[in-house]
Every structure is written in C-alpha cells, then in structure tokens.
Amino acid sequence: VEATLGTDPTNVDTDGDGIEDGVEVGGDTANPLDEDGDGIIDALDSNIADTDSDGVLDWLDPANTNPCLPNPDSEFCFATVDLEILKTANLEYLRINEPLTFTITVTNVSDEMATSIVVTEILDTAAFDYESHFIATGGGVYDETTGLWEIPELDAGESVNLVILVEVIATGTFENTATISSVAPYDSNPENDEATVAIEVGLSTNNEPGFVFKMFSPNGDGINDYLFINDITDPEYANNTLEIYDRYGNQVFATKGYDNTWDGTRKNEQLPKGTYFYVLDLGDGSGVQKGWIQILR
C-alpha cells in the first residue's frame, strides 16, 4: 500500500512533520487525504519542508516542486535546472528465467547545480524479479522496495547511473518506466523527465543449448532415466554447474561439469517422485537459469 501511495514503508513519518503516515492518509487508502487540495497527499506533504527552495513551505505550496508557485515573482523562480533521464536494457528480447540488466542515467544538462533529486523506478513484479543493483560513489541511494532513487546533488553537466539486475519471470512484452519525480530548483523542461524501455520475453525452445527437459523417469527401463540438458557436454559448457533443491529448499544434488547422468538419487538413495527446482550456470557467461523439474516414478 505504501509503495502505491509513494510513502516510505521503513519510516512511519515519511514527510517528517511529526504526524504518522497512517493518520495523514486516513482510513481509506484508496482515497488518501489531501486536506490542502494541492494534489499531494498529506503523508508526503510536509509542514516543515521546502522541497523546491522557494521560501514557501510545501504544505502551503500548491505545486510543491515548482518555485514559481505560488509566487511567480519569487527570486527562486528564475533559478531552474534541466535534468534528462534515459533508460536502456542490455537485451530487447530474451527467454523466460534469463537475467536482464536495466541502466538508468540521469544527466544535469543545465548550467546550475540540481539537488534533492528523486527518481521513481518501480519494477513490474509480475514480470521482473529483483536480484541486485549498483550505483557508483556519489550517485545516491536506491530502495528496491519503494522504487525510489534519491540523488543528493548533481553538478552542471554531470551524470549518474543506476544499474539494476533482474530475472524475467513471465512471457510477453513489458514496458518499464523511470521518472524524475522531484528536483530543486524547478525543472524547466519536463519533456525529458521520463524514459521507457520495452522488453519482449519468450519461452525457451527444446532445441536451444542449455534447455532443461523438465520431466524424467529414472526407473531403469533405459528410456528417459536421466535429467537431460541440451548440449551440456559440449566443450564450451565444460565449466557448467548444476544444483537441485527439493520444495523445502534442501539441496539434493550439486555438481560441476554436469554430463547428463543424474538419475534422481541422493547418496545412492532414490528421491521421491515430485517437483524439484534447479539452478544451472552453463559456465559460458550467459548467466544463471532457474526453473523446475519433475521426477516421475
């Protein structure tokens, strides 16, 4: 709920005004309170902060991040910046359960320093499973829970990058958008404050290298007795690693240089029929694959 509202789930008083978010939002989170009618919910609208540095506290300031409102004659109105945001992905098309990297770049293309920058970068959790992220020193802090990237300041002409590693968990075409939500002074050019990248995710086919045949029946009849992975014995995959886990998270099999000879046993004992989960690294730099297999008996 707080991620939807934009408040910070790790802070009971997001705007720091001494009133807890739950009180300021009210009992109906689908219609959060905005008692001053400025388009900013009370829980995000501090009565002690001046986000746009225009000399008017946020809760009295209808635009919050626009120093030209409510007073267009304010000296702060003439101090503006222009931030540009770009978003790219290392792949435009990939298979389900493969890794993907998003790179978000924010550049100050104006001649003034920008401060108190907030970028909204919320992953579609139905399509992408967050793995990790990286920001160079001075690039601020990203919270994968709230999807907010906070950058303290950005000099004129300076750029910062946020790199997010995800795993795709659904098939289809997905768009992911990063937006500059706020900055001080006022951003004079909103046209370059949003960037979207589209990703197409397809199913793996059973003739691809590294494709895992999900079902096998180790009953000694000479047919489909082993877990088979396409081309796993080729020299280019000699450094592969394979781990198998049961549904409780217990590791039941692990090896380096898998050669299509696992027969569904653990310590020479047959594992029960059912669903298990694998982690496969082909060892060729293509990244880790995860999925399920089923033992039939």
Side-chain angles (χ1 to χ4, degrees):
V1 170
E2 290 209 71
T4 301
L5 293 171
T7 57
D8 183 353
T10 66
N11 186 346
V12 295
D13 181 13
T14 298
D15 59 5
D17 64 355
I19 306 172
E20 291 191 0
D21 293 347
V23 175
E24 291 194 287
V25 168
D28 183 4
T29 55
N31 297 285
L33 298 178
D34 176 18
E35 294 187 333
D36 58 1
D38 65 353
I40 303 164
I41 68 170
D42 294 346
L44 293 174
D45 204 359
S46 175
N47 63 6
I48 60 172
D50 179 14
T51 304
D52 55 6
S53 303
D54 64 352
V56 182
L57 296 178
D58 291 349
W59 70 286
L60 297 173
D61 195 347
N64 198 20
T65 58
N66 185 344
C68 299
L69 293 171
N71 181 11
D73 296 322
S74 166
E75 60 178 305
F76 301 98
C77 182
F78 302 100
T80 63
V81 294
D82 182 11
L83 297 186
E84 176 186 66
I85 189 168
L86 299 174
K87 182 166 188 176
T88 59
N90 65 323
L91 298 169
E92 294 182 354
Y93 177 82
L94 69 164
R95 302 297 188 184
I96 191 170
N97 297 325
E98 290 184 345
L100 176 70
T101 299
F102 289 119
T103 300
I104 302 94
T105 303
V106 176
T107 303
N108 184 353
V109 296
S110 66
D111 296 328
E112 302 289 336
M113 174 182 283
T115 62
S116 303
I117 303 163
V118 178
V119 175
T120 302
E121 166 54 38
I122 300 176
L123 295 171
D124 182 352
T125 55
F128 307 112
D129 189 8
Y130 168 87
E131 296 286 341
S132 62
H133 71 270
F134 172 77
I135 308 174
T137 302
V141 176
Y142 174 67
D143 186 332
E144 65 272 13
T145 303
T146 63
L148 298 181
W149 176 20
E150 298 182 353
I151 308 166
E153 61 182 40
L154 201 57
D155 283 332
E158 186 179 9
S159 296
V160 288
N161 295 316
L162 165 64
V163 180
I164 303 176
L165 176 65
V166 301
E167 178 188 351
V168 293
I169 56 175
T171 58
T173 300
F174 305 99
E175 290 189 346
N176 196 249
T177 300
T179 305
I180 298 173
S181 303
S182 63
V183 60
Y186 174 60
D187 191 324
S188 61
N189 180 19
E191 298 297 322
N192 55 6
D193 288 353
E194 185 174 282
T196 300
V197 63
I199 303 296
E200 184 179 355
V201 183
L203 290 170
S204 297
T205 60
N206 60 14
N207 61 353
E208 291 182 354
F211 180 86
V212 178
F213 287 79
K214 296 185 180 299
M215 297 183 184
F216 68 112
S217 55
N219 53 13
D221 65 356
I223 302 173
N224 200 29
D225 283 333
Y226 304 101
L227 176 65
F228 188 84
I229 302 175
N230 265 358
D231 302 328
I232 197 67
T233 57
D234 287 1
E236 62 187 296
Y237 307 123
N239 295 320
N240 77 76
T241 60
L242 176 66
E243 301 170 18
I244 308 291
Y245 296 86
D246 65 19
R247 61 194 180 102
Y248 302 106
N250 301 310
Q251 188 180 84
V252 297
F253 178 74
T255 189
K256 294 182 179 180
Y258 181 64
D259 57 0
N260 285 334
T261 58
W262 185 54
D263 59 357
T265 59
R266 180 187 187 189
K267 297 180 179 178
N268 296 322
E269 295 289 335
Q270 289 187 350
L271 290 170
K273 67 178 181 180
T275 301
Y276 295 81
F277 303 91
Y278 70 85
V279 179
L280 171 66
D281 187 341
L282 292 175
D284 63 345
S286 60
V288 173
Q289 302 178 36
K290 300 176 184 178
W292 60 269
I293 59 172
Q294 190 168 24
I295 296 178
L296 307 175
R297 294 198 185 277

